[in-house]
Amino acid sequence: MLRIVLARSSRAMSSASPASASDSDTSVRKIGKALETYLKHSQQHVAMMEKHRAEFETGRRHLAKMMSLDIHELDQEAIDRAILYLFPSGLTDPNARPVMRPPDEILPKFQRFTFDEEGKPEGSRFFTLSPKIYGLLSDIGVKTHSVMKFYDEHVGSRSVNRSDLEPANLSGSQWVTADKLKKKLSEKFSKELYGQVIIAFEHLASLPGSAIEQKFLMEFREPMTASTGSKLFGPAIPEVHVCAVTNRRYAEVTTRCKDTRATVKVTDAGKGKFDIDGLQLHDFRHLQAREILLAPMIVSQSLGRFDVTATTSCISNTLPEAPNKAPLMRSGGMSALPRAVRHGTALCVAALQPEAIEPLRLSGLLTLDPRKNERSKVNQPGARAKWIWKRR
Amino acid sequence: MRRVVAAAIRTERAFSTRFSASQQKPVASTSSSSSVPDRATLEKGTVQPTVLKPFVSASLQHEDLFNFEKMVHIDEMFKARLHYGHKVGTVNNNMKWALYGERLGVCLFDLDITKKYLVRALNFVAHVSLRGGMILFVTSNRDTMFDVEKAADEVGQYSHVRKWQSGTLTNTRQLLGASVRLPDAVCFLSTLTSLGENHPAIVEAAKMAIPTIGVVDSNSDPAYLTYLVPANDDTPQSTEYLLRMFKEAVRKGQEERKRQQQGK
C-alpha cells in the first residue's frame, strides 16, 4: 500500500514542482478551488434570481394593463384568476396548468453552506447530508445514555430528590409537528426520519429518571389545549346567545342517546331548575336518573347556577316505517333519556363556562355515546344469541 | 483506464495539499524543483516505486516522523481487547495473515502485526492532518457511534455514523446542490454494516480515489482499503483505544502544521 501512495505522491510532486515559483495567491486559489467554485455558482444563482424577479415584475405590469386593473390591486390571487381566464386549460393535472408565480416559489433553492478559510465545510456532520436532524438524534441518544446512568447510580439512594427518578411529565402537551420541526431546524427530512426522532423522544421520555431532561423535552413539545376544541366526537359545543327579553345568556343543542333525541337549552343566571318535558328533577324517582342529570353541574362546580329546559322525542317514531307501527311513547331504557339530556347539558355548560371544558372532556361528558340496540338476526333468537346445543 | 483516471484524480487532489507543504518548505521545494524525475525514472517507478523516494518531500522520507512507535504499546492494546476476532467459522481468507491463531473457537490477532499496521495508519493520519486535510470517520456500530461523533468533533474533523446515503461521495453535486470539497481521507472504525456486508462508503471512496483506513476484524474483507488495522472493532474498549490513538495523531499533525505556519 505504501508503495502506491509513494508513487502517486512522487507523480504529484513532479507536477507541483514547476508551480513552486508562484506566489501565495496561486496557493490560496488552488487550496480553495471548491470554495471558489461554490462562490461562483452562488453569484450566478443570485444574478439569475434577480433577472427572473425583474421579468416577473414586468409581466405583472403587462398583465395589469391587459386586464385593465390597477397594478396595486394585482395580488397573487388576481394573477391566478387572470391566468385562468387568459389561458383556460382542460388538463386534469394541476401541476400541468399554466402558472405565474414569483420565482422564489418556482425555481429551485440554492443550498447555503458555510466554509472556513481553507475551504472546509463547517459542522462535523456535514457529510451526513442532514446534519441538524442527525445532530438532534445524537443529542437524544447521548441524553438517553446519561439518564440511564443517572438512574442506575442513584436508585435506592437518599441523596437525590425522589422526583428526579420519575419519568418526564408530558401531560397536556404533544410533540411538535414535522413542519414545525423543519422550520425549527431549518432543514428538510423525510417522514421516516421524523418518525425515528419521535420514537427516540418517546423512549427517552418513558425512562425512569428522565425528569432531569424535562427542559430538553419540553423544547420540542407544544400545548394541546388549542387543538382539542373541535375534535369532540358527536355534536360540537354550541354557540352562546343572549335572550333579548330576559337579557340572559343561553345555549341550545340537540343530541341523542340510544333511541331518545333531546333538545336541551341551558340558561345562565338561573336557580338550578330542570324542566324535562314538563317534569322537574324530583319527578325522576330513580336516584340513578338524578345523579346522571346532575353530573355536569357537579363536574363543572356550578350547582344551582344554570336552568335546564329539555324536550325529548323517540327517534323510531321519525323513521320512514314509523306510520305503519303504533307510536311508541319512549324507548331506550330508563337511563337513555337522562343520559341524552346530560350530554346536551354538558355541551351547553361548556359553552357558557369555557373554563369547565377540560374537566367535562376528561370526565367523558362531552362525548356522544354512539351505542344503540343491535338489530335481531334471522335464524337466531336475538342479535347474537344461539339455541342451546344438543348432541342428538 | 481506471487506474489512469484514479491516478489523475489523485494527482490533482494531492497537488492542492502538497502545494501548501511546498510553500512551507522553500528549501525543500527548491531542491526538489532542481531534481525532477525524468521519463525513464517515472516509468521505472510504476513497477518499483522506491526509486522515486529521493524526489518526495523531506517529511515523507521518515517512516515514523511523529514517533508513534513509542506511543503504541502492546500491553495497552491487550488490555483494550484489540486481539479478539470473531469465531473461526466466519474468518475471511484475506485476513488470515493477521491472525496469531485461535483459542476456544475464537480467532486471535497477532498484536505485533496490528501494532506495525496501526503505526503506519497513524502516521498517514498525522501527515494528512499536517497538510490541512479533511478526515471523515465512519462507523455503523450502534454501540460506538456516539463516541466516534464525539471524537471527530473534538479534533474538528467529520463523522458519519448514520445510514449511508448512496452517492454521498460519488454524487455530491446532485445531493448537496453544489460542488464541495471531499474528504481527503476516510477512516472506518467498522467496515461491516449490521447486515454483515461491506460498508457502501468503502467502494465510493475507492471510486473517488480517496485513501481509506479500515479497522478490519477477522470476518471483514480488506479489499479496497488503503491502510489496514487488523483489530477488534466491536468492543467499546477497543474502539475507545483506537479513537484515542487517532485523535492523538490528528492533534500532532495539527500542532506541527501550526508550528510550521508560525515559523514561516
Side-chain angles (χ1 to χ4, degrees):
Chain A
M1 296 298 180
L2 188 59
R3 296 176 299 178
I4 300 176
V5 174
L6 274 176
R8 288 173 176 169
S9 301
S10 61
R11 198 173 291 132
M13 199 38 148
S14 64
S15 58
S17 300
S20 63
S22 306
D23 50 2
S24 59
D25 291 340
T26 308
S27 167
V28 171
R29 182 160 65 248
K30 280 296 178 178
I31 286 174
K33 185 169 174 55
L35 177 59
E36 192 179 318
T37 305
Y38 171 78
L39 289 177
K40 180 159 60 80
H41 288 154
S42 179
Q43 286 158 12
Q44 287 174 0
H45 184 263
V46 169
M48 181 192 68
M49 292 302 286
E50 287 296 326
K51 186 167 73 72
H52 278 273
R53 283 194 200 101
E55 286 181 0
F56 177 75
E57 280 304 313
T58 304
R60 218 164 67 92
R61 259 185 276 115
H62 285 314
L63 191 64
K65 197 179 304 178
M66 289 159 68
M67 304 301 292
S68 303
L69 292 172
D70 192 2
I71 186 66
H72 306 293
E73 302 170 0
L74 200 63
D75 55 354
Q76 188 59 46
E77 283 184 7
I79 290 175
D80 292 340
R81 286 197 303 268
I83 294 295
L84 195 64
Y85 172 77
L86 291 172
F87 301 98
S89 174
L91 299 172
T92 55
D93 193 348
N95 289 331
R97 292 173 190 164
V99 71
M100 180 177 171
R101 298 190 77 84
D104 296 316
E105 301 180 20
I106 293 183
L107 297 180
K109 292 184 188 300
F110 189 74
Q111 193 83 267
R112 298 283 171 191
F113 305 121
T114 50
F115 298 89
D116 60 1
E117 61 273 7
E118 290 186 350
K120 299 177 185 176
E122 286 190 354
S124 68
R125 294 187 187 86
F126 179 82
F127 291 102
T128 61
L129 310 183
S130 300
K132 291 196 174 65
I133 190 69
Y134 282 129
L136 178 59
L137 269 172
S138 292
D139 284 346
I140 299 168
V142 170
K143 288 182 191 302
T144 301
H145 283 154
S146 65
V147 162
M148 288 179 175
K149 187 183 291 186
F150 173 83
Y151 182 79
D152 290 341
E153 286 171 356
H154 295 95
V155 66
S157 167
R158 299 174 177 274
S159 62
V160 75
N161 202 354
R162 279 201 61 85
S163 62
D164 284 344
L165 297 179
E166 305 279 339
N169 180 25
L170 305 176
S171 63
S173 60
Q174 61 187 1
W175 299 111
V176 292
T177 58
D179 293 334
K180 285 184 178 166
L181 195 57
K182 284 171 186 170
K183 199 173 300 181
K184 190 188 179 82
L185 299 177
S186 305
E187 197 173 83
K188 289 183 179 178
F189 44 82
S190 62
K191 289 185 296 182
E192 289 80 16
L193 204 44
Y194 173 72
Q196 287 178 33
V197 170
I198 295 301
I199 288 170
F201 268 132
E202 292 278 357
H203 176 59
L204 172 56
S206 68
L207 292 174
S210 61
I212 59 176
E213 299 292 348
Q214 182 88 28
K215 184 180 291 186
F216 170 72
L217 288 165
M218 295 315 283
E219 286 175 20
F220 298 91
R221 302 278 295 185
E222 57 184 3
M224 210 191 299
T225 55
S227 60
T228 56
S230 61
K231 288 186 177 176
L232 292 175
F233 177 77
I237 295 176
E239 294 185 3
V240 179
H241 305 280
V242 178
C243 182
V245 178
T246 60
N247 204 24
R248 291 198 292 172
R249 299 190 305 148
Y250 71 92
E252 196 165 4
V253 77
T254 299
T255 182
R256 66 175 175 85
C257 182
K258 287 191 183 290
D259 205 27
T260 304
R261 178 182 291 117
T263 300
V264 184
K265 178 181 175 182
V266 175
T267 310
D268 198 7
K271 297 188 177 63
K273 288 183 177 177
F274 277 84
D275 182 5
I276 303 170
D277 291 333
L279 303 176
Q280 299 185 39
L281 190 65
H282 61 79
D283 290 322
F284 289 87
R285 302 183 63 189
H286 285 89
L287 189 61
Q288 181 197 36
R290 298 184 195 178
E291 289 180 356
I292 289 173
L293 289 169
L294 289 173
M297 312 300 183
I298 294 170
V299 170
S300 60
Q301 303 176 20
S302 58
L303 269 172
R305 176 175 161 182
F306 298 112
D307 286 345
V308 179
T309 303
T311 57
T312 63
S313 61
C314 183
I315 295 176
S316 298
N317 292 344
T318 64
L319 298 179
E321 63 266 23
N324 300 328
K325 295 162 59 178
L328 296 172
M329 184 69 67
R330 192 167 61 81
S331 71
M334 285 193 302
S335 69
L337 187 146
R339 278 196 283 144
V341 174
R342 177 183 76 176
H343 186 221
T345 305
L347 289 171
C348 295
V349 168
L352 294 167
Q353 192 172 318
E355 61 266 19
I357 291 177
E358 193 68 9
L360 289 167
R361 188 184 65 83
L362 293 175
S363 306
L365 297 174
L366 299 179
T367 306
L368 177 75
D369 188 354
R371 296 174 293 172
K372 59 173 58 177
N373 200 29
E374 188 175 347
R375 82 173 185 91
S376 299
K377 310 295 195 302
V378 180
N379 200 28
Q380 53 203 44
R384 302 190 184 201
K386 304 291 195 296
W387 296 289
I388 297 176
W389 178 82
K390 189 177 291 184
R391 182 184 289 269
R392 58 182 65 87
Chain B
M1 182 60 185
R2 180 186 301 173
R3 201 158 66 90
V4 174
V5 173
I9 296 172
R10 185 66 207 147
T11 300
E12 182 177 345
R13 172 172 296 110
F15 175 76
S16 60
T17 53
R18 194 77 57 226
F19 197 84
S20 60
S22 304
Q23 283 292 306
Q24 290 154 15
K25 291 177 176 297
V27 178
S29 64
T30 305
S31 65
S32 65
S33 68
S34 63
S35 60
V36 177
D38 54 356
R39 185 181 182 86
T41 310
L42 284 174
E43 285 180 359
K44 192 176 181 183
T46 58
V47 295
Q48 195 177 346
T50 52
V51 302
L52 298 172
K53 195 161 182 175
F55 302 99
V56 304
S57 171
S59 61
L60 291 174
Q61 300 283 344
H62 206 296
E63 289 277 339
D64 195 7
L65 180 71
F66 297 91
N67 210 7
F68 289 117
E69 190 80 22
K70 287 188 167 51
M71 202 177 78
V72 179
H73 297 116
I74 288 189
D75 49 347
E76 282 184 10
M77 296 161 75
F78 186 83
K79 288 200 188 77
R81 310 173 192 179
L82 260 69
H83 56 290
Y84 288 127
H86 281 252
K87 284 188 176 297
V88 172
T90 63
V91 69
N92 195 301
N93 280 331
N94 298 323
M95 288 303 300
K96 288 181 173 176
W97 55 275
L99 297 178
Y100 182 82
E102 63 89 17
R103 179 170 175 82
L104 297 178
V106 175
C107 299
L108 295 177
F109 285 109
D110 190 341
L111 288 183
D112 287 322
I113 297 176
T114 301
K115 175 179 177 178
K116 175 182 159 192
Y117 280 84
L118 179 58
V119 165
R120 190 181 292 174
L122 291 174
N123 269 291
F124 174 71
V125 167
H127 277 289
V128 169
S129 183
L130 163 63
R131 288 158 174 76
M134 294 155 53
I135 302 170
L136 174 67
F137 291 91
V138 178
T139 186
S140 56
N141 193 334
R142 289 168 59 96
D143 298 328
T144 61
M145 59 198 301
F146 300 128
D147 297 332
V148 173
E149 275 186 337
K150 185 159 159 281
D153 211 11
E154 281 171 3
V155 291
Q157 302 299 329
Y158 302 88
S159 65
H160 192 306
V161 301
R162 301 288 172 175
K163 181 178 166 62
W164 182 264
Q165 167 76 41
S166 179
T168 299
L169 295 179
T170 53
N171 199 21
T172 314
R173 181 62 189 274
Q174 287 291 319
L175 291 176
L176 285 170
S179 61
V180 300
R181 181 175 163 182
L182 289 182
D184 299 298
V186 183
C187 185
F188 291 92
L189 274 302
S190 75
T191 55
L192 295 178
T193 61
S194 55
L195 299 177
E197 303 166 352
N198 260 4
H199 201 287
I202 295 174
V203 173
E204 286 192 26
K207 287 179 179 177
M208 302 305 292
I210 298 174
T212 50
I213 302 149
V215 178
V216 279
D217 218 327
S218 65
N219 61 342
S220 303
D221 188 4
Y224 300 115
L225 293 165
T226 311
Y227 292 90
L228 302 171
V229 181
N232 185 3
D233 61 356
D234 301 314
T235 312
Q237 290 89 348
S238 67
T239 306
E240 183 250 330
Y241 175 81
L242 291 166
L243 284 173
R244 198 171 84 241
M245 290 293 122
F246 284 127
K247 278 197 299 186
E248 190 61 31
V250 173
R251 283 207 193 97
K252 284 195 173 183
Q254 287 172 348
E255 286 165 7
E256 184 65 22
R257 176 178 176 81
K258 194 177 299 182
R259 188 177 307 122
Q260 286 182 4
Q261 284 177 346
Q262 290 172 359
K264 179 180 70 175

